[in-house]
Structure formats: structure tokens, C-alpha cells
Amino acid sequence: MSSNNSNQDKFIHFALEAKVLSFGEFKTKAGRLSPYFFNAGGFNDGARLSALGRYYANALKESKIQFDMLYGPAYKGITLAAATAIALADGGLNIPFAYNRKEAKDHGEGGSLVGAPVKGKVVIIDDVISAGTSVRESVDLIRGAGAEPVAVLIALDRMERSGNAIEIGEHSAVQAVEQEFGLPVIAIANLADLMAFLTASSDTELSNYLPAVKAYRDQYGI
């Protein structure tokens, strides 16, 4: 098994332990019945956030993308970018980070960008990409500051076509972002990794979910 795979497997195991990833039957925002649910809000204590930052940092290093700074879209992306910046610094790479506030401030520093000056090559960090709206806003803010977005880094790529339970689009939200902005999307893990994890699992409670996940991927996957 390559080191790449082990980072993904370890991450899936970690997400399951943290109850951030769960299996069962869940209705997605798009109205689809999904056999699994991923909620990055569950990385809600110091140890988990620290570990999550390391997974993001590892995925970013493995991608070999050249970058100067990190950017976290409000609100979820703020802690994710901070955790990743700390993990990179712990690994000897001290990188600035910035984020936006949802409400523009009219006093003090003003504007909606907070943190390090946004310049150079910027990696946008978020949990998942569902509609790409947050990416679009981030790209506009980064380009507006005169910097260049170079990649989007997320925790999980659901590898799922856009649309709802009945209308199924041609591309996934991740593919749409890659095409619209010409930005690579790096994911710590994706649906294929999740299926490989379930296939290899000796835990029957987990491997029992494989047919449902496979059926879901056959129906909605890319």
C-alpha cells in the first residue's frame, strides 16, 4: 500500500472514530438518500482539529502544488485553514493564512479580508464542495486582492453528480469547479477511497454497508 493510500485510509478511520463519517440512511440537501454522511463540524475538539490539520497538510504536500498562503472561507474554512497552517508550521513550513468575514466592517481595518495580506499563490481550504458557491466567492475575493487561487483543498470528495434525486447532472460539484475556474481540487479522501476502505475492512458492521454505497455510486457517481 502506498503512503498515499495510508493517509486516506487513516483519515477515513479517523473520521469514523470521530463520528464525523457515519453510515446508515441520510437525506442530502439535494434530496437524495445517501448511505453515508460526512459532517466536518464534528471535528470539534483540540485533538481532532490538530489531527485534521495534519491530514490536510499531508494531502497538500502530496499534491506537489506550489503555493504561498492558505485561505479559509467563513465560517467552516477559518478553523480548517488555521489548523492546516499550524500543521505545516509544525512540519517546518511557516505559511501565512487569511480568511474572510461574512459582514464587511466599516471601522478599524475595514473590508472583508482578515489575516495575512492576500498575495501570491493561494490555496482555498474547505470541508466539502457541494454547490461551488463558496469557491466562487473565494476566487472573486482572492483575485480581487490581486492574488492567484491555485487549488482548492477539501476533506472529502463525494464524487457525486450534481442535481437532485430525479435530475442527475453530468458533472460533480468538484468537476464543475475544476472546469469553471481551472483549479485542481485536492481531497484528503474520496468516495473511491471510502469504497476501498469498506472492501478491505474486517469489521462486518462496516463491510455490510458496501452494497448500499456501491448502489449509490452507480446511481449518482461520476
Short mmCIF file of all heavy atoms in Angstrom, two decimals, residues 39-88:
data_model
loop_
_atom_site.label_atom_id
_atom_site.label_comp_id
_atom_site.label_asym_id
_atom_site.label_seq_id
_atom_site.Cartn_x
_atom_site.Cartn_y
_atom_site.Cartn_z
N ASN A 39 -19.82 15.07 8.24
CA ASN A 39 -20.05 16.39 8.81
C ASN A 39 -18.79 16.88 9.52
O ASN A 39 -18.51 16.48 10.64
CB ASN A 39 -21.23 16.33 9.79
CG ASN A 39 -21.36 17.63 10.57
OD1 ASN A 39 -20.96 18.70 10.10
ND2 ASN A 39 -21.92 17.55 11.76
N ALA A 40 -18.05 17.75 8.84
CA ALA A 40 -16.76 18.22 9.37
C ALA A 40 -16.93 19.02 10.66
O ALA A 40 -15.96 19.24 11.39
CB ALA A 40 -16.03 19.05 8.33
N GLY A 41 -18.15 19.45 10.97
CA GLY A 41 -18.40 20.15 12.23
C GLY A 41 -18.11 19.27 13.44
O GLY A 41 -17.95 19.75 14.55
N GLY A 42 -18.01 17.96 13.20
CA GLY A 42 -17.75 17.02 14.28
C GLY A 42 -16.29 16.98 14.72
O GLY A 42 -15.95 16.37 15.73
N PHE A 43 -15.40 17.63 13.93
CA PHE A 43 -14.00 17.74 14.37
C PHE A 43 -13.95 18.90 15.36
O PHE A 43 -13.46 19.97 15.05
CB PHE A 43 -13.08 18.01 13.18
CG PHE A 43 -13.00 16.87 12.19
CD1 PHE A 43 -13.44 17.04 10.89
CD2 PHE A 43 -12.47 15.64 12.55
CE1 PHE A 43 -13.36 15.99 9.97
CE2 PHE A 43 -12.38 14.60 11.64
CZ PHE A 43 -12.83 14.77 10.35
N ASN A 44 -14.53 18.67 16.56
CA ASN A 44 -14.84 19.82 17.40
C ASN A 44 -14.08 19.86 18.71
O ASN A 44 -14.54 20.46 19.67
CB ASN A 44 -16.36 19.86 17.66
CG ASN A 44 -16.85 18.55 18.25
OD1 ASN A 44 -16.04 17.72 18.67
ND2 ASN A 44 -18.15 18.37 18.29
N ASP A 45 -12.92 19.18 18.79
CA ASP A 45 -12.09 19.41 19.97
C ASP A 45 -10.63 19.57 19.51
O ASP A 45 -10.31 19.37 18.33
CB ASP A 45 -12.27 18.31 21.03
CG ASP A 45 -11.82 16.94 20.56
OD1 ASP A 45 -10.92 16.83 19.70
OD2 ASP A 45 -12.36 15.94 21.07
N GLY A 46 -9.77 19.93 20.45
CA GLY A 46 -8.39 20.27 20.10
C GLY A 46 -7.64 19.14 19.43
O GLY A 46 -6.95 19.34 18.42
N ALA A 47 -7.77 17.92 19.97
CA ALA A 47 -7.02 16.78 19.43
C ALA A 47 -7.48 16.46 18.00
O ALA A 47 -6.66 16.20 17.11
CB ALA A 47 -7.19 15.56 20.33
N ARG A 48 -8.80 16.47 17.79
CA ARG A 48 -9.31 16.14 16.46
C ARG A 48 -8.93 17.20 15.44
O ARG A 48 -8.57 16.90 14.31
CB ARG A 48 -10.84 16.02 16.51
CG ARG A 48 -11.30 14.73 17.15
CD ARG A 48 -12.80 14.74 17.31
NE ARG A 48 -13.25 13.55 18.01
CZ ARG A 48 -14.46 13.42 18.51
NH1 ARG A 48 -15.32 14.40 18.41
NH2 ARG A 48 -14.81 12.31 19.12
N LEU A 49 -9.05 18.47 15.85
CA LEU A 49 -8.72 19.55 14.93
C LEU A 49 -7.23 19.51 14.57
O LEU A 49 -6.85 19.74 13.42
CB LEU A 49 -9.09 20.90 15.57
CG LEU A 49 -9.14 22.09 14.61
CD1 LEU A 49 -10.10 21.83 13.47
CD2 LEU A 49 -9.54 23.35 15.36
N SER A 50 -6.40 19.19 15.56
CA SER A 50 -4.97 19.09 15.32
C SER A 50 -4.67 17.97 14.32
O SER A 50 -3.91 18.14 13.36
CB SER A 50 -4.26 18.81 16.65
OG SER A 50 -2.90 18.56 16.44
N ALA A 51 -5.31 16.81 14.52
CA ALA A 51 -5.12 15.68 13.60
C ALA A 51 -5.63 16.03 12.21
O ALA A 51 -4.99 15.73 11.20
CB ALA A 51 -5.83 14.44 14.15
N LEU A 52 -6.79 16.68 12.15
CA LEU A 52 -7.37 17.06 10.86
C LEU A 52 -6.42 17.97 10.09
O LEU A 52 -6.20 17.79 8.89
CB LEU A 52 -8.72 17.75 11.08
CG LEU A 52 -9.45 18.21 9.81
CD1 LEU A 52 -9.78 17.02 8.91
CD2 LEU A 52 -10.73 18.95 10.17
N GLY A 53 -5.83 18.93 10.80
CA GLY A 53 -4.86 19.83 10.17
C GLY A 53 -3.71 19.07 9.55
O GLY A 53 -3.25 19.40 8.45
N ARG A 54 -3.26 18.01 10.23
CA ARG A 54 -2.15 17.19 9.69
C ARG A 54 -2.58 16.46 8.43
O ARG A 54 -1.80 16.34 7.48
CB ARG A 54 -1.65 16.20 10.75
CG ARG A 54 -0.89 16.87 11.89
CD ARG A 54 -0.09 15.87 12.72
NE ARG A 54 -0.93 14.90 13.42
CZ ARG A 54 -1.49 15.13 14.63
NH1 ARG A 54 -1.29 16.29 15.24
NH2 ARG A 54 -2.21 14.20 15.22
N TYR A 55 -3.82 15.96 8.40
CA TYR A 55 -4.30 15.27 7.19
C TYR A 55 -4.36 16.25 6.00
O TYR A 55 -3.97 15.92 4.88
CB TYR A 55 -5.67 14.64 7.41
CG TYR A 55 -5.60 13.36 8.22
CD1 TYR A 55 -6.10 13.29 9.51
CD2 TYR A 55 -5.03 12.21 7.67
CE1 TYR A 55 -6.03 12.12 10.25
CE2 TYR A 55 -4.94 11.03 8.40
CZ TYR A 55 -5.45 10.99 9.69
OH TYR A 55 -5.37 9.83 10.42
N TYR A 56 -4.87 17.45 6.25
CA TYR A 56 -4.91 18.47 5.19
C TYR A 56 -3.49 18.79 4.72
O TYR A 56 -3.22 18.86 3.53
CB TYR A 56 -5.56 19.76 5.71
CG TYR A 56 -7.07 19.83 5.57
CD1 TYR A 56 -7.91 19.84 6.68
CD2 TYR A 56 -7.67 19.95 4.31
CE1 TYR A 56 -9.29 19.94 6.55
CE2 TYR A 56 -9.05 20.04 4.18
CZ TYR A 56 -9.86 20.03 5.30
OH TYR A 56 -11.21 20.13 5.17
N ALA A 57 -2.59 19.00 5.69
CA ALA A 57 -1.21 19.36 5.36
C ALA A 57 -0.54 18.25 4.53
O ALA A 57 0.14 18.53 3.53
CB ALA A 57 -0.41 19.64 6.64
N ASN A 58 -0.77 16.99 4.92
CA ASN A 58 -0.20 15.87 4.17
C ASN A 58 -0.73 15.81 2.74
O ASN A 58 0.02 15.59 1.79
CB ASN A 58 -0.52 14.53 4.86
CG ASN A 58 0.29 14.34 6.13
OD1 ASN A 58 1.29 15.03 6.34
ND2 ASN A 58 -0.14 13.43 6.99
N ALA A 59 -2.06 15.99 2.59
CA ALA A 59 -2.67 15.95 1.25
C ALA A 59 -2.11 17.07 0.38
O ALA A 59 -1.85 16.89 -0.81
CB ALA A 59 -4.19 16.06 1.37
N LEU A 60 -1.89 18.24 1.00
CA LEU A 60 -1.36 19.40 0.26
C LEU A 60 0.08 19.13 -0.17
O LEU A 60 0.45 19.40 -1.33
CB LEU A 60 -1.45 20.64 1.16
CG LEU A 60 -1.16 22.00 0.52
CD1 LEU A 60 -1.95 22.19 -0.77
CD2 LEU A 60 -1.47 23.13 1.50
N LYS A 61 0.88 18.57 0.74
CA LYS A 61 2.28 18.26 0.38
C LYS A 61 2.33 17.21 -0.72
O LYS A 61 3.11 17.33 -1.66
CB LYS A 61 3.03 17.74 1.62
CG LYS A 61 3.44 18.82 2.60
CD LYS A 61 4.20 18.19 3.78
CE LYS A 61 4.16 19.09 4.99
NZ LYS A 61 4.24 18.32 6.25
N GLU A 62 1.49 16.18 -0.60
CA GLU A 62 1.49 15.10 -1.60
C GLU A 62 1.06 15.59 -2.98
O GLU A 62 1.44 15.01 -3.98
CB GLU A 62 0.58 13.95 -1.15
CG GLU A 62 1.23 13.06 -0.11
CD GLU A 62 0.28 12.02 0.47
OE1 GLU A 62 -0.87 11.92 -0.01
OE2 GLU A 62 0.70 11.32 1.40
N SER A 63 0.25 16.67 -3.01
CA SER A 63 -0.23 17.19 -4.30
C SER A 63 0.88 17.87 -5.10
O SER A 63 0.75 18.09 -6.29
CB SER A 63 -1.36 18.19 -4.07
OG SER A 63 -0.81 19.43 -3.61
N LYS A 64 1.98 18.24 -4.43
CA LYS A 64 3.13 18.92 -5.05
C LYS A 64 2.77 20.30 -5.64
O LYS A 64 3.46 20.82 -6.50
CB LYS A 64 3.77 18.06 -6.14
CG LYS A 64 4.22 16.68 -5.70
CD LYS A 64 5.56 16.72 -5.01
CE LYS A 64 6.21 15.35 -4.84
NZ LYS A 64 5.59 14.54 -3.77
N ILE A 65 1.63 20.85 -5.20
CA ILE A 65 1.22 22.17 -5.70
C ILE A 65 2.09 23.25 -5.07
O ILE A 65 2.39 23.19 -3.88
CB ILE A 65 -0.28 22.40 -5.39
CG1 ILE A 65 -1.06 21.50 -6.33
CG2 ILE A 65 -0.68 23.86 -5.49
CD1 ILE A 65 -2.36 21.92 -6.80
N GLN A 66 2.52 24.21 -5.86
CA GLN A 66 3.31 25.34 -5.35
C GLN A 66 2.33 26.39 -4.81
O GLN A 66 1.40 26.78 -5.52
CB GLN A 66 4.13 25.96 -6.48
CG GLN A 66 5.16 25.01 -7.09
CD GLN A 66 6.25 24.64 -6.09
OE1 GLN A 66 6.90 25.50 -5.51
NE2 GLN A 66 6.43 23.33 -5.87
N PHE A 67 2.55 26.84 -3.56
CA PHE A 67 1.63 27.83 -3.00
C PHE A 67 2.38 28.73 -2.02
O PHE A 67 3.43 28.37 -1.51
CB PHE A 67 0.45 27.14 -2.29
CG PHE A 67 0.85 26.29 -1.11
CD1 PHE A 67 0.76 26.78 0.18
CD2 PHE A 67 1.34 25.01 -1.30
CE1 PHE A 67 1.14 26.02 1.27
CE2 PHE A 67 1.72 24.22 -0.21
CZ PHE A 67 1.62 24.74 1.07
N ASP A 68 1.82 29.92 -1.80
CA ASP A 68 2.42 30.89 -0.89
C ASP A 68 1.63 31.08 0.39
O ASP A 68 2.16 31.52 1.40
CB ASP A 68 2.54 32.26 -1.59
CG ASP A 68 3.38 32.18 -2.85
OD1 ASP A 68 4.50 31.65 -2.77
OD2 ASP A 68 2.91 32.61 -3.92
N MET A 69 0.32 30.80 0.33
CA MET A 69 -0.51 31.03 1.51
C MET A 69 -1.80 30.23 1.45
O MET A 69 -2.15 29.67 0.42
CB MET A 69 -0.80 32.52 1.68
CG MET A 69 -1.73 33.12 0.66
SD MET A 69 -2.04 34.87 1.02
CE MET A 69 -2.93 34.78 2.58
N LEU A 70 -2.51 30.21 2.59
CA LEU A 70 -3.79 29.49 2.70
C LEU A 70 -4.92 30.49 2.92
O LEU A 70 -4.72 31.55 3.50
CB LEU A 70 -3.76 28.53 3.90
CG LEU A 70 -2.59 27.55 3.98
CD1 LEU A 70 -2.69 26.73 5.27
CD2 LEU A 70 -2.55 26.64 2.77
N TYR A 71 -6.10 30.11 2.46
CA TYR A 71 -7.27 30.97 2.62
C TYR A 71 -8.46 30.11 3.06
O TYR A 71 -8.76 29.09 2.43
CB TYR A 71 -7.59 31.66 1.29
CG TYR A 71 -8.86 32.46 1.33
CD1 TYR A 71 -8.86 33.78 1.82
CD2 TYR A 71 -10.07 31.92 0.89
CE1 TYR A 71 -10.04 34.51 1.87
CE2 TYR A 71 -11.24 32.65 0.93
CZ TYR A 71 -11.22 33.93 1.43
OH TYR A 71 -12.38 34.67 1.48
N GLY A 72 -9.14 30.51 4.13
CA GLY A 72 -10.30 29.76 4.62
C GLY A 72 -11.57 30.58 4.50
O GLY A 72 -11.70 31.62 5.12
N PRO A 73 -12.53 30.12 3.68
CA PRO A 73 -13.81 30.84 3.56
C PRO A 73 -14.64 30.73 4.85
O PRO A 73 -14.72 29.64 5.43
CB PRO A 73 -14.53 30.16 2.40
CG PRO A 73 -13.70 29.00 1.99
CD PRO A 73 -12.47 28.93 2.83
N ALA A 74 -15.22 31.82 5.29
CA ALA A 74 -16.06 31.82 6.50
C ALA A 74 -17.27 30.89 6.27
O ALA A 74 -17.78 30.83 5.17
CB ALA A 74 -16.55 33.24 6.78
N TYR A 75 -17.73 30.17 7.26
CA TYR A 75 -17.12 30.13 8.59
C TYR A 75 -16.27 28.87 8.77
O TYR A 75 -15.25 28.90 9.43
CB TYR A 75 -18.23 30.13 9.67
CG TYR A 75 -18.97 31.45 9.72
CD1 TYR A 75 -20.17 31.61 9.06
CD2 TYR A 75 -18.44 32.54 10.42
CE1 TYR A 75 -20.84 32.83 9.09
CE2 TYR A 75 -19.10 33.75 10.47
CZ TYR A 75 -20.30 33.90 9.80
OH TYR A 75 -20.95 35.09 9.82
N LYS A 76 -16.72 27.76 8.20
CA LYS A 76 -16.01 26.49 8.41
C LYS A 76 -14.56 26.54 7.99
O LYS A 76 -13.69 25.97 8.63
CB LYS A 76 -16.72 25.36 7.67
CG LYS A 76 -17.78 24.67 8.49
CD LYS A 76 -18.33 23.46 7.74
CE LYS A 76 -19.53 22.87 8.46
NZ LYS A 76 -20.34 22.04 7.59
N GLY A 77 -14.29 27.22 6.89
CA GLY A 77 -12.93 27.23 6.35
C GLY A 77 -11.92 27.94 7.25
O GLY A 77 -10.72 27.72 7.11
N ILE A 78 -12.40 28.79 8.16
CA ILE A 78 -11.48 29.56 9.00
C ILE A 78 -10.67 28.64 9.91
O ILE A 78 -9.44 28.68 9.91
CB ILE A 78 -12.25 30.61 9.84
CG1 ILE A 78 -12.96 31.61 8.91
CG2 ILE A 78 -11.29 31.34 10.79
CD1 ILE A 78 -13.86 32.62 9.63
N THR A 79 -11.35 27.77 10.66
CA THR A 79 -10.61 26.86 11.54
C THR A 79 -9.81 25.84 10.73
O THR A 79 -8.73 25.43 11.16
CB THR A 79 -11.56 26.09 12.49
OG1 THR A 79 -12.62 25.55 11.70
CG2 THR A 79 -12.13 27.00 13.55
N LEU A 80 -10.33 25.44 9.58
CA LEU A 80 -9.62 24.44 8.76
C LEU A 80 -8.31 25.01 8.24
O LEU A 80 -7.27 24.35 8.27
CB LEU A 80 -10.51 23.98 7.60
CG LEU A 80 -11.83 23.32 8.01
CD1 LEU A 80 -12.67 22.99 6.78
CD2 LEU A 80 -11.60 22.07 8.85
N ALA A 81 -8.35 26.27 7.76
CA ALA A 81 -7.12 26.90 7.26
C ALA A 81 -6.13 27.12 8.41
O ALA A 81 -4.93 26.90 8.26
CB ALA A 81 -7.44 28.23 6.57
N ALA A 82 -6.65 27.52 9.58
CA ALA A 82 -5.78 27.74 10.74
C ALA A 82 -5.12 26.43 11.17
O ALA A 82 -3.90 26.37 11.41
CB ALA A 82 -6.59 28.33 11.91
N ALA A 83 -5.89 25.36 11.24
CA ALA A 83 -5.35 24.06 11.66
C ALA A 83 -4.30 23.57 10.67
O ALA A 83 -3.27 23.02 11.06
CB ALA A 83 -6.49 23.04 11.77
N THR A 84 -4.55 23.78 9.38
CA THR A 84 -3.59 23.35 8.35
C THR A 84 -2.31 24.17 8.44
O THR A 84 -1.20 23.64 8.32
CB THR A 84 -4.22 23.47 6.95
OG1 THR A 84 -5.48 22.78 6.94
CG2 THR A 84 -3.32 22.87 5.88
N ALA A 85 -2.45 25.48 8.66
CA ALA A 85 -1.27 26.36 8.79
C ALA A 85 -0.42 25.93 9.98
O ALA A 85 0.81 25.88 9.89
CB ALA A 85 -1.72 27.81 8.95
N ILE A 86 -1.06 25.56 11.09
CA ILE A 86 -0.32 25.10 12.28
C ILE A 86 0.41 23.80 11.97
O ILE A 86 1.58 23.62 12.31
CB ILE A 86 -1.28 24.92 13.48
CG1 ILE A 86 -1.82 26.29 13.94
CG2 ILE A 86 -0.57 24.22 14.64
CD1 ILE A 86 -3.00 26.21 14.89
N ALA A 87 -0.29 22.87 11.29
CA ALA A 87 0.33 21.57 10.96
C ALA A 87 1.53 21.76 10.03
O ALA A 87 2.56 21.11 10.19
CB ALA A 87 -0.71 20.65 10.32
N LEU A 88 1.39 22.66 9.06
CA LEU A 88 2.51 22.92 8.13
C LEU A 88 3.69 23.52 8.90
O LEU A 88 4.85 23.15 8.67
CB LEU A 88 2.07 23.87 7.01
CG LEU A 88 1.13 23.28 5.95
CD1 LEU A 88 0.56 24.39 5.07
CD2 LEU A 88 1.83 22.23 5.09
#
